[in-house]
Amino acid sequence: MKASRPTRIELAPLALLLAAALLLAGSRAAAADNPNDACLACHSDKTLTTKRAGRTVSLYVETKKFSSSIHGSLSCTNCHADLEGKDLPHDTPLKRVDCGACHGEESKQHAKSLHGRAVARGDALAPRCASCHGNHDILSVKDPRSPVSPMNVPFTCGKCHREGTPVQTQRKIEQHNILENYAESMHGEALLRKGLSVTANCASCHTAHNILPHTDPNSSIARVNIAKTCTKCHARIEDVHRKTIKGELWEKEAHVLPACVDCHQPHKVRKVFYTQGMADADCMRCHANPNLKTRDGRPLTVHAADLSSSRHAKVACSQCHSDVNASRVRPCETITGPVDCSKCHEQISQDYQRSKHGQLFAKKDPNAPVCKECHGTHRVLGKHDPQSVTFATNIPTLCARCHREGKQAAVRYVGAQHDIIPHYRESIHGKGLLKSGLTVTATCTNCHTAHRELPKSDPESTVNPANLPATCGQCHHGIQEQFVNSVHSRTVTTTTKDLPVCSDCHSAHQIRRADEDGFKLDIMAKCGRCHAEIAKTYFETYHGKVSRLGYTKTAKCYDCHGAHDILKVTDPRSHLSRANVVETCQKCHASATRRFAGYLTHATHHDPKKYPFLFWTFWGMTSLLVGTFIAGGLHTLLWLPRAFQMRRELKAEEARQAAERNGGKEKHDGER
């Protein structure tokens, strides 16, 4: 007999029992693999609490958050190490979790930091690891939900450092409105409004765990370290500040430079300079005293009005007096040297060092002028301010302090220029500036420069003959271009002799208007210094003879040859070229023709080679004249004896005739 097979309905209860058994076994296996389940069996209860320092503290651990945290793979006893091997439920209280067991370096930094020191002295407001990172829900710094992700750092720090918090109100913190200022700063705007997570946040400057006061030399925001901190993001800080500060000094000589925060106040970093911070106020507490003096009697008073109206109004005291140490009661007691203006005015400093003034200073000459001699100290005004000593109309007076006759600069001067200041005042430049108020007129600094004054003999000097046309050309547009193409320029004429430049014709400090009679009459003598023979021939012409009589309307050298564009007559561009000579003559002689222009203006009978016809004619006529006089003279001499003899005979005859007339008269009277 064949056995019957069980049906599906008969097998169903068996399958259910098997599945339940497998599920129970799996559950037990899972419980054995996750040791935290035993802990969470109690701590997943939301009502689980305990008492700490009189406060009720929740012991609830949200399983989901813990499992998704960066510590989700760890066992509870990895952190709560004192529970390792103990039976549950455990005794309370537990020891505080030691994060340093895994995060040793961070723990060491925290222990040395402001926060760690506060923890060590039992400050109830001192932040611990959990204060920033959380406890059972710690997320990676890369997780946007983490309180220590770049986007959330300001808010995490703000829990303690926001205005009104216990930390801000009960602890000594110099900075105020930190979060508000940061939010409005360039960094805050980029982070909070534009979402630029690479922007600097609190931890970028103060570090995450090694937070130290700025007075600590090891602090990332200490004066000696701040540049290094800023350059972590602002890598090209030298290029950015090249025009204002010699950037490399930031790294090499940070102690002599203004720190970043001197210009870009902490927590207010924007594109503009801010008003002075606490450093200025600290300085003025002493230096506002009108009786403050050095031991040798030098005044140390600083007038706030001078500072506020100066070009450096937005520059903090410590930017110039960079030796100050903010950690001292008297920050200025560490100052050992004078203010070094070159830190901000690098190019000007280089020019000064190259100048005669700078060379004297390098030699420690007591008469060497330094920056403050011309610009002052705390009331430095811009050159466009009429009250500034460097304003155009004030520059002659400023330079005269040393260069007036009898003053230190004039005494050491060995050149030919004297009475420079009086001569300048009477020159066309001086009158234009000082009498007419034309501030565009040339002053001392226009020709000699403001900071790179060099003697005329120096090839780099702006008044060196080789450079003078360019110097004058700065104001006299177009003249330089004419001059460099003329025969007086070395670009055209090759010679070992000196060629004239602007000052040879116009002088250096006695420059007159070119249309003055005195200049017109004097210029011919100046041309004659180089062109002596030509000048002689000129003065033998009608033009020259009349000019010597003081008549200025006759043709002078420049009328025919040009003033600055003198060219060889063979040059088609010359005023005296065949193409242009008639037009040149017509400037004075309107009816001049080609034949008229053929007049030899410099022809002289003294040059038989150049003018032989004139030479021989002159001497022929002169010889004829002299011969005539000689012949006449000889004739006269030879005729004189005869003339005397005839004179005597005439007188004798006259006497005889008189005697005859007298004899006849007497005879007649006798007869009567």
Side-chain angles (χ1 to χ4, degrees):
M1 183 175 171
K2 189 177 181 180
S4 61
R5 299 177 62 184
T7 63
R8 291 183 177 179
I9 295 177
E10 292 173 340
L11 292 176
L14 183 60
L16 289 174
L17 289 174
L18 180 60
L22 292 173
L23 181 61
L24 179 61
S27 176
R28 288 177 176 176
D33 293 341
N34 187 355
N36 294 335
D37 284 353
C39 300
L40 293 173
C42 295
H43 288 279
S44 61
D45 182 1
K46 294 183 178 179
T47 61
L48 186 65
T49 60
T50 189
K51 288 286 187 180
R52 290 180 187 168
R55 293 188 304 146
T56 299
V57 177
S58 174
L59 296 176
Y60 170 66
V61 177
E62 187 174 349
T63 305
K64 185 177 180 181
K65 284 188 175 180
F66 175 72
S67 59
S68 61
S69 77
I70 199 168
H71 290 162
S73 61
L74 300 179
S75 159
C76 296
T77 54
N78 287 131
C79 295
H80 299 284
D82 54 332
L83 291 178
E84 182 68 34
K86 292 186 177 180
D87 296 330
L88 300 179
H90 57 78
D91 296 331
T92 59
L94 299 179
K95 291 183 179 178
R96 188 178 295 277
V97 171
D98 180 13
C99 300
C102 295
H103 305 282
E105 185 60 33
E106 290 80 359
S107 179
K108 290 179 182 177
Q109 292 181 358
H110 178 266
K112 295 179 181 178
S113 73
L114 275 172
H115 293 166
R117 294 175 194 172
V119 170
R121 64 173 178 264
D123 190 331
L125 299 178
R128 300 175 182 275
C129 305
S131 304
C132 299
H133 296 277
N135 41 40
H136 297 102
D137 55 351
I138 299 174
L139 297 174
S140 167
V141 67
K142 297 180 181 178
D143 191 317
R145 298 171 298 168
S146 170
V148 293
S149 74
M151 298 297 297
N152 297 326
V153 166
F155 302 103
T156 300
C157 297
K159 289 190 297 184
C160 295
H161 293 282
R162 187 176 63 251
E163 289 298 300
T165 61
V167 171
Q168 194 68 19
T169 56
Q170 299 175 21
R171 301 294 182 268
K172 184 180 179 181
I173 298 177
E174 301 290 351
Q175 295 287 321
H176 296 282
N177 299 310
I178 296 173
L179 269 296
E180 291 81 357
N181 288 335
Y182 173 79
E184 295 177 358
S185 74
M186 182 179 289
H187 291 158
E189 182 177 335
L191 182 74
L192 304 176
R193 298 181 185 176
K194 299 181 179 178
L196 296 175
S197 59
V198 295
T199 305
N201 56 47
C202 313
S204 304
C205 301
H206 296 274
T207 76
H209 303 99
N210 193 26
I211 301 169
L212 295 170
H214 72 279
T215 54
D216 190 318
N218 296 317
S219 171
S220 59
I221 58 171
R223 191 174 189 83
V224 294
N225 299 325
I226 190 66
K228 185 177 181 181
T229 299
C230 294
T231 51
K232 288 192 297 185
C233 297
H234 300 277
R236 299 184 63 189
I237 194 169
E238 294 181 9
D239 294 338
V240 173
H241 294 81
R242 189 175 298 281
K243 292 184 178 179
T244 54
I245 291 179
K246 192 176 183 180
E248 62 180 15
L249 292 181
W250 248 305
E251 300 293 340
K252 299 177 181 177
E253 301 180 58
H255 61 287
V256 302
L257 287 175
C260 307
V261 292
D262 287 332
C263 299
H264 309 281
Q265 283 193 355
H267 310 123
K268 291 184 178 180
V269 180
R270 296 194 72 83
K271 293 180 179 178
V272 297
F273 291 111
Y274 284 80
T275 55
Q276 289 91 336
M278 53 170 283
D280 283 5
D282 288 345
C283 297
M284 292 303 291
R285 274 202 294 268
C286 297
H287 289 275
N289 181 357
N291 300 318
L292 187 65
K293 295 181 179 179
T294 61
R295 291 179 180 176
D296 57 1
R298 288 180 293 116
L300 291 174
T301 304
V302 178
H303 300 286
D306 290 347
L307 281 176
S308 61
S309 61
S310 79
R311 291 278 291 181
H312 293 159
K314 295 183 179 181
V315 177
C317 302
S318 59
Q319 285 181 256
C320 295
H321 303 281
S322 55
D323 289 344
V324 295
N325 189 332
S327 62
R328 302 294 182 92
V329 176
R330 284 183 61 245
C332 56
E333 67 183 10
T334 54
I335 295 177
T336 57
V339 170
D340 183 0
C341 302
S342 67
K343 291 177 299 187
C344 294
H345 305 282
E346 182 188 1
Q347 183 59 51
I348 291 174
S349 174
Q350 291 178 358
D351 289 345
Y352 172 78
Q353 292 174 18
R354 178 68 182 86
S355 75
K356 186 65 178 180
H357 293 166
Q359 294 173 23
L360 292 174
F361 179 74
K363 296 177 182 176
K364 299 183 179 180
D365 189 307
N367 292 327
V370 294
C371 306
K372 66 179 182 181
E373 305 282 349
C374 298
H375 297 279
T377 54
H378 297 103
R379 193 169 181 264
V380 179
L381 301 177
K383 65 180 181 181
H384 298 299
D385 188 326
Q387 296 183 355
S388 170
V389 291
T390 58
F391 185 68
T393 57
N394 298 329
I395 287 177
T397 303
L398 173 64
C399 297
R401 292 177 184 175
C402 298
H403 292 275
R404 183 183 293 115
E405 289 296 309
K407 296 296 182 180
Q408 56 267 41
V411 169
R412 70 167 66 237
Y413 176 69
V414 295
Q417 297 289 326
H418 290 283
D419 292 321
I420 293 174
I421 304 302
H423 286 161
Y424 172 80
R425 290 181 179 277
E426 293 302 318
S427 73
I428 182 62
H429 289 158
K431 290 179 179 177
L433 179 72
L434 303 175
K435 295 184 179 179
S436 301
L438 296 175
T439 55
V440 295
T441 306
T443 66
C444 313
T445 55
N446 291 114
C447 299
H448 297 276
T449 77
H451 302 102
R452 198 182 173 86
E453 307 88 350
L454 291 168
K456 176 183 175 181
S457 56
D458 192 308
E460 295 185 13
S461 171
T462 52
V463 294
N464 180 274
N467 304 322
L468 198 55
T471 299
C472 297
Q474 294 175 351
C475 296
H476 299 278
H477 178 71
I479 301 300
Q480 180 192 3
E481 289 75 8
Q482 292 182 9
F483 178 82
V484 296
N485 291 318
S486 75
V487 294
H488 287 160
S489 171
R490 293 197 178 278
T491 60
V492 176
T493 302
T494 302
T495 178
T496 56
K497 298 180 180 178
D498 291 335
L499 291 176
V501 292
C502 313
S503 58
D504 290 303
C505 298
H506 297 278
S507 81
H509 301 104
Q510 297 173 279
I511 301 174
R512 293 183 291 182
R513 290 177 60 97
D515 57 358
E516 281 186 358
D517 289 349
F519 178 83
K520 290 180 178 180
L521 297 174
D522 188 48
I523 191 64
M524 294 175 293
K526 291 179 178 176
C527 295
R529 290 185 305 199
C530 297
H531 306 281
E533 295 300 324
I534 298 296
K536 289 180 181 177
T537 64
Y538 168 78
F539 285 115
E540 290 178 358
T541 67
Y542 168 78
H543 290 157
K545 293 180 185 297
V546 173
S547 294
R548 275 191 163 172
L549 296 176
Y551 189 68
T552 60
K553 293 186 177 180
T554 53
K556 312 292 186 298
C557 309
Y558 56 83
D559 288 316
C560 300
H561 295 276
H564 306 103
D565 54 348
I566 301 173
L567 300 171
K568 293 182 178 180
V569 294
T570 54
D571 190 317
R573 299 170 297 169
S574 170
H575 294 281
L576 298 178
S577 70
R578 182 173 178 77
N580 299 325
V581 66
V582 175
E583 182 180 354
T584 299
C585 294
Q586 287 176 341
K587 290 189 295 184
C588 297
H589 306 279
S591 58
T593 61
R594 170 70 61 188
R595 186 174 183 180
F596 178 91
Y599 169 69
L600 300 176
T601 51
H602 291 283
T604 175
H605 54 271
H606 298 300
D607 190 347
K609 294 182 179 179
K610 194 172 183 179
Y611 306 103
F613 178 78
L614 187 60
F615 175 81
W616 291 115
T617 301
F618 171 79
W619 285 111
M621 292 300 295
T622 301
S623 298
L624 178 61
L625 179 63
V626 172
T628 301
F629 278 105
I630 291 175
L634 288 174
H635 178 269
T636 301
L637 290 174
L638 293 174
W639 183 254
L640 278 177
R642 180 63 179 168
F644 290 139
Q645 182 180 356
M646 291 178 66
R647 183 70 177 171
R648 287 194 297 270
E649 291 176 353
L650 178 60
K651 287 183 177 179
E653 179 61 22
E654 290 177 347
R656 186 186 63 78
Q657 291 177 359
E660 288 177 355
R661 286 196 295 273
N662 291 332
K665 184 178 180 182
E666 292 175 354
K667 184 179 180 179
H668 177 70
D669 292 338
E671 290 176 353
R672 281 193 310 176

